[in-house]
Amino acid sequence: MSYVEQTKRQFTIEVTTTALCNLNCTYCFEGEKVNKQRLGDKVVLVKQRIREVLASEWFTKNYEVLNISFWGGEPTLNGDLIVDVMNEFSSVENVDFHIYTNAYDRKRLDKILDSVDTSKLQIQVSYDGKPINDIFRIVSTGKPTSPQVMNNFRSVSYTNLTLPTNR
């Protein structure tokens, strides 16, 4: 039996919660360089589309798990949408969640984690290592982000979060 046959087949829906970002990375085309838009007024439509996927014959025939992945900009800047969607679908047995964050603002991340069932949530932190983060992943004042990101990363009391090596 192949690895694919041994694992649950998963389909991922990526939800871009906002184009906003709290960093000003030199290589990024989003964040402070784009129109300040949020997806908040579209949450009803997002949830409707998720329900449609879960109920579709195509999904039930081809997949066992639906992963709802929250992206941005910085997705935690629209935490209300994340909380709303997670609370709507966390009781659905075959739904998992994923947040891709820069982990710069621990308070926003904690607000989300304190408001949802985290047992089905994975968090991925965008961290390029201290030398890269301190040169390219900066705030609007030019301040490096590594110290705060690593401190936040280490202090979040979340069991599914894996710490990176200290680079």
Side-chain angles (χ1 to χ4, degrees), residues 70-94:
F70 301 102
W71 291 72
E74 170 53 34
T76 62
L77 294 176
N78 194 359
D80 291 344
L81 180 139
I82 295 170
V83 168
D84 192 354
V85 171
M86 285 187 68
N87 284 336
E88 174 89 14
F89 295 99
S90 64
S91 63
V92 179
E93 184 178 324
N94 64 334

Side-chain angles (χ1 to χ4, degrees), residues 11-65:
F11 182 79
T12 299
I13 292 178
E14 293 183 356
V15 178
T16 302
T17 65
T18 182
L20 294 172
C21 187
N22 52 355
L23 299 184
N24 193 23
C25 300
T26 60
Y27 55 80
C28 186
F29 59 90
E30 293 187 26
E32 295 183 353
K33 302 173 184 106
V34 299
N35 189 357
K36 307 288 188 200
Q37 294 179 350
R38 295 169 62 101
L39 191 59
D41 61 334
K42 303 293 184 191
V43 70
V44 172
L45 180 60
V46 169
K47 293 191 302 186
Q48 177 184 335
R49 294 295 183 252
I50 292 169
R51 282 190 291 277
E52 289 171 1
V53 168
L54 286 168
S56 74
E57 182 180 331
W58 167 84
F59 176 78
T60 56
K61 179 180 175 185
N62 295 294
Y63 297 95
E64 298 173 57
V65 176

